């Protein structure tokens, strides 16, 4: 799976405020940490089995669990990440977050982009970046208001500003933080989509 | 061909995946499904009935049986039923439902609870 984080294409943080930068960086660091720990876990963990335990409960395998979790709402999905390690891994799958994120970003038809600052994110990352509340690191009182965001048709975006985004990004979202600065995010299914990652 | 695996099942005597009890519930499903396909309300009622009468363990076994039998409609139906059963319930309820235990390290669990504090508002009673 090709990596969206092509260094030559991601521009610097230059115009972002320290707080906004913190928000986005924390999110990314955590995703990287989680990714590393998942790789280690996979080496240690057995394949999801259907073995019956003595108590009579049968464990669901990952694909079936994904099938169940794609039918629950956002809050239940958040809680699913707290159940155990397997559930945490499955609940983080970006295929579950794509519909949640795209539903959340109502297309307003506006085009307000940061010409100098473009980021790549998975759906889960981008959704949480546009909802600081869901990041959990900051309390509601840290924010005067929820950031403003609007989704942009990737084709429109690419024709006006970044030609290379068109074929790669599934969604483009601009997020304007309360302090006024804007980041533009090209969104694609993150590395957590698919269990062979 | 919804029942390609069923023939296999009957041929295969040593079958651990589908017990007899499950088979009797899953196999009549397509008939029922066809009859009430037009009538969504009846399907909902059947779902409610299923939730009330069937133990959670049985429900997960039903899912796995439907999966094994390659019966997509049943699989979707049972997954939906389970999803509705755990919708907006607490983490502990979900664990009890599936017979799971937390395998996080204590520090890890605390961190997760903090990160997902937003999701713990307005939880349904068990």
């Amino acid at each position: 799976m090709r990596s969206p984080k092509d260094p030559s294409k991601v521009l610097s943080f230059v115009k972002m405020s320290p707080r906004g930068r913190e928000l986005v960086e924390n999110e990314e660091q955590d995703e990287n940490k989680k990714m590393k720990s998942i790789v280690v876990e996979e080496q240690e963990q057995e394949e999801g089995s259907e073995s019956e335990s003595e108590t009579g409960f049968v464990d669901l395998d990952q694909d079936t669990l994904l099938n169940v979790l794609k039918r629950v709402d956002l809050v239940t999905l958040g809680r699913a990440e707290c159940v155990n390690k397997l559930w945490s891994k499955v609940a983080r799958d970006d295929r579950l977050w794509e519909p949640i994120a795209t539903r959340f970003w109502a297309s307003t038809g506006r085009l307000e982009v940061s010409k100098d600052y473009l980021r790549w994110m998975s759906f889960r990352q981008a959704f949480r970046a546009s909802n600081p509340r869901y990041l959990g690191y900051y309390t509601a009182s840290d924010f005067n208001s929820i950031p403003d965001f609007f989704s942009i048709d990737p084709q429109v975006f690419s024709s006006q500003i970044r030609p290379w985004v068109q074929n790669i990004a599934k969604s483009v979202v601009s997020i304007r933080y309360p302090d006024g600065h804007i980041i533009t995010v090209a969104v694609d299914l993150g590395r957590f989509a698919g269990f062979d990652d | 061909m919804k029942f390609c695996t069923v023939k296999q099942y009957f041929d295969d005597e040593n079958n651990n995946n589908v017990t007899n009890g499950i088979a009797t519930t899953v196999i009549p499903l397509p008939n029922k499904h066809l009859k009430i396909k037009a009538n969504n309300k009846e399907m909902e009622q059947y779902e409610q009935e299923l939730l009330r009468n069937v133990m959670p363990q049985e429900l997960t076994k039903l899912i796995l049986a439907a999966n094994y039998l390659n019966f997509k409609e049943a699989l979707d139906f049972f997954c939906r039923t389970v999803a509705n059963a755990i919708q907006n319930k607490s983490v502990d309820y979900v664990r009890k439902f599936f017979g799971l235990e937390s395998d996080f390290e204590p520090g890890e669990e605390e961190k997760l609870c903090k990160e997902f504090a937003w999701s713990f508002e307005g939880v349904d009673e068990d």
Side-chain angles (χ1 to χ4, degrees):
Chain A
M1 200 173 162
R2 92 206 116 57
S3 163
K5 293 193 171 89
D6 183 349
S8 64
K9 293 182 177 166
V10 173
L11 300 168
S12 65
F13 288 40
V14 168
K15 292 193 180 151
M16 186 179 245
S17 78
R19 191 47 176 277
R21 194 187 314 169
E22 214 175 281
L23 261 176
V24 171
E25 266 186 334
N26 274 337
E27 182 57 18
E28 178 148 274
Q29 259 171 28
D30 250 30
E31 292 290 332
N32 284 336
K33 270 189 223 151
K34 280 174 190 170
M35 212 145 74
K36 281 184 201 148
S37 64
I38 280 176
V39 169
V40 169
E41 251 169 60
E42 268 196 12
Q43 288 162 358
E44 294 172 323
Q45 202 181 48
E46 291 170 322
E47 182 109 319
S49 60
E50 298 177 6
S51 58
E52 187 154 344
S53 64
E54 288 130 13
T55 57
F57 284 101
V58 188
D59 291 327
L60 287 179
D61 63 304
Q62 292 184 13
D63 288 307
T64 318
L65 185 53
L66 189 77
N67 200 345
V68 173
L69 286 181
K70 71 182 180 194
R71 301 159 201 274
V72 299
D73 63 10
L74 175 60
V75 282
T76 314
L77 191 61
R79 282 174 223 157
E81 276 199 51
C82 305
V83 171
N84 69 11
K85 283 183 179 165
L86 177 70
W87 277 60
S88 190
K89 178 183 173 191
V90 176
R92 245 176 280 157
D93 192 297
D94 222 36
R95 288 171 293 182
L96 294 174
W97 290 89
E98 181 181 0
I100 290 175
T102 47
R103 258 200 302 267
F104 186 74
W105 300 321
S107 182
T108 60
R110 283 145 66 192
L111 184 74
E112 191 176 341
V113 296
S114 165
K115 292 180 166 58
D116 300 310
Y117 187 74
L118 177 72
R119 292 293 311 280
W120 280 97
M121 288 187 187
S122 68
F123 279 98
R124 186 172 176 272
Q125 281 175 306
F127 175 73
R128 281 148 65 102
S130 49
N131 284 290
R133 191 169 174 253
Y134 297 130
L135 286 170
Y137 304 115
Y138 305 96
T139 60
S141 57
D142 291 335
F143 295 94
N144 297 324
S145 59
I146 300 170
D148 201 12
F149 51 83
F150 22 91
S151 74
I152 305 154
D153 181 344
Q155 295 210 331
V156 171
F157 182 70
S158 70
S159 66
Q160 302 223 5
I161 299 168
R162 302 272 172 207
W164 48 270
V165 165
Q166 177 182 350
N167 296 323
I168 302 170
K170 286 190 145 202
S171 276
V172 179
V173 153
S174 263
I175 304 172
R176 195 209 296 136
Y177 289 94
D179 64 3
H181 74 274
I182 300 173
I183 66 168
T184 300
V185 182
V187 192
D188 194 8
L189 283 175
R191 290 191 54 184
F192 292 116
F195 301 122
D196 44 9
D197 243 340
Chain B
M1 261 288 272
K2 290 185 185 169
F3 287 111
C4 32
T5 29
V6 175
K7 182 173 187 297
Q8 206 183 330
Y9 162 68
F10 284 115
D11 291 343
D12 181 5
E13 288 171 345
N14 215 14
N15 197 320
N16 290 324
N17 288 325
V18 185
T19 64
N20 279 318
I22 305 296
T24 54
T25 318
V26 176
I27 289 173
L29 255 187
N31 288 326
K32 215 178 170 72
H33 192 88
L34 285 168
K35 274 188 221 163
I36 60 184
K37 200 165 184 184
N39 195 341
N40 275 324
K41 229 178 169 189
E42 255 195 68
M43 206 65 183
E44 266 172 46
Q45 282 176 353
Y46 181 69
E47 191 178 301
Q48 293 298 326
E49 232 183 83
L50 205 73
L51 261 181
R52 257 174 303 164
N53 299 336
V54 169
M55 293 291 288
Q57 298 100 303
E58 295 296 301
L59 212 44
T60 51
K61 284 184 198 166
L62 280 168
I63 289 181
L64 293 171
N67 196 20
Y68 177 73
L69 292 171
N70 242 330
F71 187 178
K72 190 177 185 292
E73 281 85 350
L75 181 61
D76 286 345
F77 175 71
F78 291 130
C79 283
R80 202 167 51 233
T81 311
V82 170
N84 287 334
I86 60 172
Q87 182 88 296
N88 208 27
K89 292 288 195 294
S90 69
V91 176
D92 281 327
Y93 184 89
V94 172
R95 285 185 186 141
K96 273 194 228 123
F97 192 95
F98 290 97
L100 301 168
E101 274 176 21
S102 163
D103 55 358
F104 294 120
E105 275 97 72
E108 231 182 320
E109 179 143 19
E110 199 185 304
K111 189 170 169 242
L112 275 172
C113 284
K114 207 171 159 213
E115 192 176 333
F116 291 98
W118 55 267
S119 71
F120 295 124
E121 296 165 16
V123 183
D124 280 350
E125 289 301 316
D126 286 359

